[in-house]
Amino acid sequence: MSKAARNAKGLLVTVLALAVLLLTPFAVAGLFGQPAEEVVWVNSPTAKTDYDVLVLGGEPEGVAAAVAAARNGASVLLLEDDRSLGGLMTLGGLNFLDMCRGRDGELLTRGIFSEFYRGVGGNAFDLTDAKNYFLELVTAEPLLTLRTGAALVAPVVENGRVLGVRVREGRQEKVYTARRLIDATADADLAAAAGAPFTIGGEDIGEADRQMGATLIFELADVNWPRVFFHLNAQRLSGLLTGGSRDMGAQLKSAWGYEAEGFAYVPADPLTRLRGFNIARQKNGNVLVNALLVFGLDPLSETSRQLAVQRARTELTQLLPYIRENFAGFADARLVSTAQQLYVRESRHLIGEYQLTIDDVLENRDQWDKIAIGSYPADVQPSAAQPYGTVIGSPDRYAIPFRCLVPLKVDNLLVVGRGASYTSLAAASARVLPLGMACGEAAGAAAAHSLRGGLSFREMSASSEAIAALQADLKARGAYLEDFSLPEPLTEHWAYPGLATLRRLGLLDGGYQNDYRLADPMDKWQLQYLLNGVLRKSGLPLAADLPYLEASLAPGAGEILALAREALVLAEAATAAAGTGADAGTGAGTGAYAGTGAGAGTGAGA
């Protein structure tokens, strides 16, 4: 379908939805059935201590891994430190999912994720329904044992091989062992404690202190949903008719928009910020809002996380009156609660047998050992130093290699979730939960396959025969793993090699349309940003002492070339003085470019 046809279809659907809803009264509460009662899990008083497969972490990725391993005939232990399953989706309140679809509309994350998606009624769901469905998935498997309230104390490691974990259950410490282990914790805690190498935040591109902002999702009651629905869809319709922004809209259970209102808010706490709203309704009529960012926390410190939660709750006391006054449909809104956990977008980025790069993502690269396919834009949310989010680019689709799940220096362990082996910029896309669940399912299946075949995970990662068998099994169980060849036209541009180098360093963004404005003249500020940014991020030991290069207001080709040569001379001098080598073009890139370049995004995604 052409872009014009899609726009026309979208306009028709919007108009028809508005017409139907103008003529059809609907209740704000009770439209989708009555809220369910949460099913409370109680651990068995006794459990065996040795299994085929042990999965640490009841995040969505961990549930998928445990269920997949059990369905493949392995005895499985799933350990979760909280009292219910679902992690970020349930305890963190992230119930409005970022889907992975190709540009042709194909759903790329299927299998167990599709089961969940159907079971909870789509990509905006009731939290209690999600908790209950995750529990139902797990308890339906006779080979799967669940233990909640089990907090990691330390891994059991022998000669670099992970054999089990020591956990605290109540006041007791217990040791559980397994022949294969999967780390599905949000921050790759097991792999890190076992000695796997990793970077944190934007460290891999010279931004060691940069991490995407965390979010405290909050719940509001007495929101006028019909008003929200009509307001945001009217704005979208106006954009469709006039060529303006269409980055807003609403459906029966979800809405997104209010970008201008969000960014206009001036917080009392300078380490918080409001952005556009992502909203999802609950069965009781309340809405969950993903919009309040928190900076300045250490995501690996529980104390720091709790302090960040308290700061965000304090900010909400000032924020709520602003929302009532400025957001259509929220005039009578009242705060009901905040999520039990922060939505942390990044912390550790492990280094595995292969590390997914931004080139893999934005060049739509297939992989011989793919175990899942993603497509979400490389959406870097704001940080303390970067007030606006940015979209580095948007792929059609790209493959996740099995090798990304196999950490270096640690054996007998796979890692799934946002902490897997993705560079920081690639993780801006690969971190989304549907893709994580697809990878989790692949990890669980791989654990069972490795046991049957007598291969270690590292041996599996180098065996085309073993990977082919794993892929065939995943496909038979519903996974989408079709081969593809979808070259991006941009890669044929004469300037692409330079563009790709700058993009790897996080110095260029192309937005949702991959528009890097290559035909536009470069101004003083863009040139200075790029040249000094390369020097700053190149890893030069004397970079802090380098002079700041300045350009004229309208630099021509000659001046640009001269300044580039000057930057090279400075870099070579600094390198020689330190007696070390520096490679400014190997960084992986994050979203440091804050809206001064082409196609800068506003970070209103997840």
Side-chain angles (χ1 to χ4, degrees):
M1 183 183 295
S2 69
K3 182 177 180 180
R6 288 196 301 271
N7 285 341
K9 181 180 178 182
L11 176 59
L12 177 60
V13 169
T14 301
V15 171
L16 287 175
L18 284 169
V20 168
L21 284 164
L22 281 170
L23 296 171
T24 306
F26 63 92
V28 172
L31 182 63
F32 309 110
Q34 294 301 311
E37 291 289 332
E38 181 178 347
V39 179
V40 178
W41 173 253
V42 178
N43 289 335
S44 169
T46 59
K48 68 176 187 176
T49 58
D50 186 59
Y51 298 82
D52 291 331
V53 179
L54 187 154
V55 179
L56 183 67
E59 296 283 335
E61 300 94 334
V63 171
V67 170
R71 289 178 179 178
N72 274 272
S75 64
V76 181
L77 174 64
L78 173 60
L79 296 174
E80 162 58 26
D81 63 357
D82 216 291
R83 294 295 174 183
S84 57
L85 298 174
L88 180 55
M89 277 190 191
T90 55
L91 305 176
L94 187 62
N95 70 329
F96 186 2
L97 299 180
D98 297 306
M99 301 295 288
C100 290
R101 295 185 182 274
R103 291 175 188 160
D104 59 1
E106 190 81 60
L107 178 62
L108 307 174
T109 49
R110 300 184 188 174
I112 292 174
F113 170 73
S114 289
E115 293 178 39
F116 170 82
Y117 183 80
R118 293 190 299 268
V120 297
N123 70 321
F125 49 82
D126 190 90
L127 295 187
T128 302
D129 285 350
K131 288 180 182 180
N132 290 345
Y133 194 82
F134 280 130
L135 186 59
E136 181 182 327
L137 273 175
V138 167
T139 56
E141 300 300 328
L143 292 175
L144 201 164
T145 299
L146 171 64
R147 305 289 292 179
T148 59
L152 176 67
V153 174
V156 178
V157 183
E158 184 179 293
N159 298 323
R161 181 179 173 84
V162 184
L163 303 177
V165 294
R166 188 187 318 127
V167 299
R168 182 176 294 106
E169 293 184 7
R171 297 181 179 180
Q172 294 184 326
E173 285 193 5
K174 295 184 178 180
V175 173
Y176 295 103
T177 57
R179 297 163 67 195
R180 300 289 185 270
L181 289 92
I182 298 171
D183 184 349
T185 60
D187 300 299
D189 292 329
L190 177 58
F198 59 87
T199 61
I200 293 180
E203 180 184 359
D204 59 343
I205 58 159
E207 294 185 357
D209 59 347
R210 186 211 53 76
Q211 292 171 352
M212 285 188 272
T215 291
L216 183 65
I217 293 175
F218 55 93
E219 182 178 1
L220 299 177
D222 298 332
V223 173
N224 186 334
W225 193 261
R227 178 82 172 95
V228 170
F229 186 96
F230 296 141
H231 172 75
L232 292 175
N233 281 323
Q235 285 192 326
R236 182 174 178 83
L237 180 59
S238 176
L240 287 167
L241 293 173
T242 64
S245 174
R246 302 186 300 276
D247 193 19
M248 72 287 292
Q251 299 171 350
L252 291 182
K253 295 194 294 183
S254 60
W256 59 100
Y258 300 106
E259 199 167 272
E261 296 91 335
F263 286 117
Y265 174 70
V266 179
D269 181 345
L271 288 179
T272 65
R273 189 168 300 129
L274 191 65
R275 36 146 260 200
F277 275 18
N278 281 345
I279 317 167
R281 298 175 70 195
Q282 299 292 276
K283 284 184 174 178
N284 62 5
N286 293 350
V287 301
L288 295 174
V289 181
N290 171 4
L292 180 58
L293 292 158
V294 192
F295 310 115
L297 71 148
D298 177 359
L300 301 177
S301 164
E302 183 60 28
T303 299
S304 181
R305 287 194 192 206
Q306 290 306 314
L307 287 174
V309 168
Q310 291 303 317
R311 285 176 29 227
R313 287 173 176 165
T314 300
E315 187 65 34
L316 277 168
T317 62
Q318 172 178 301
L319 173 58
L320 196 55
Y322 176 84
I323 291 174
R324 291 189 188 114
E325 183 176 348
N326 293 279
F327 286 67
F330 288 80
D332 298 318
R334 57 184 176 86
L335 181 65
V336 175
S337 67
T338 58
Q340 297 177 52
Q341 296 180 0
L342 272 178
Y343 171 13
V344 176
R345 292 176 173 85
E346 71 173 337
S347 56
R348 296 186 181 100
H349 301 292
L350 286 179
I351 301 173
E353 287 294 320
Y354 185 85
Q355 198 168 29
L356 190 76
T357 71
I358 190 59
D359 290 343
D360 292 328
V361 171
L362 296 182
E363 292 180 7
N364 303 320
R365 291 180 182 172
D366 201 357
Q367 304 280 351
W368 71 270
D369 59 337
K370 62 175 170 286
I371 43 85
I373 299 176
S375 65
Y376 193 69
D379 175 18
V380 180
Q381 291 289 300
S383 65
Q386 177 188 338
Y388 299 99
T390 182
V391 175
I392 303 302
S394 184
D396 184 309
R397 66 195 67 188
Y398 60 91
I400 300 289
F402 176 71
R403 290 164 291 160
C404 285
L405 309 187
V406 184
L408 296 179
K409 298 186 178 180
V410 174
D411 291 324
N412 206 37
L413 181 69
L414 296 178
V415 180
V416 295
R418 59 177 168 80
S421 185
Y422 313 138
T423 59
S424 59
L425 185 53
S429 170
R431 65 187 172 87
V432 296
L433 290 172
L435 183 56
M437 288 186 70
C439 291
E441 179 176 1
H449 274 256
S450 72
L451 289 170
R452 286 197 295 269
L455 294 175
S456 71
F457 289 138
R458 209 170 309 281
E459 290 169 336
M460 259 189 91
S461 73
S463 169
S464 58
E465 182 179 357
I467 294 299
L470 173 62
Q471 291 169 333
D473 179 66
L474 290 170
K475 288 180 182 179
R477 296 177 185 272
Y480 182 85
L481 290 176
E482 299 303 315
D483 294 338
F484 58 90
S485 178
L486 299 165
E488 282 289 332
L490 181 66
T491 60
E492 301 299 320
H493 193 284
W494 66 267
Y496 184 75
L499 181 155
T501 297
L502 291 170
R503 191 172 62 187
R504 291 183 205 116
L505 289 170
L507 294 170
L508 285 180
D509 56 46
Y512 293 107
Q513 304 303 320
N514 295 320
D515 180 9
Y516 296 90
R517 299 193 320 197
L518 293 177
D520 293 355
M522 184 174 291
D523 64 22
K524 167 186 174 72
W525 310 111
Q526 290 170 318
L527 179 58
Q528 289 177 181
Y529 177 86
L530 294 176
L531 287 174
N532 292 289
V534 168
L535 288 175
R536 187 179 73 254
K537 296 186 176 193
S538 64
L540 294 172
L542 302 181
D545 299 324
L546 292 171
Y548 186 85
L549 298 178
E550 294 200 36
S552 63
L553 285 175
E559 182 181 356
I560 291 173
L561 182 59
L563 284 170
R565 286 173 174 163
E566 184 178 349
L568 181 60
V569 170
L570 287 170
E572 289 175 342
T575 302
T580 61
D583 183 357
T586 58
T590 59
Y593 198 32
T596 57
T602 55

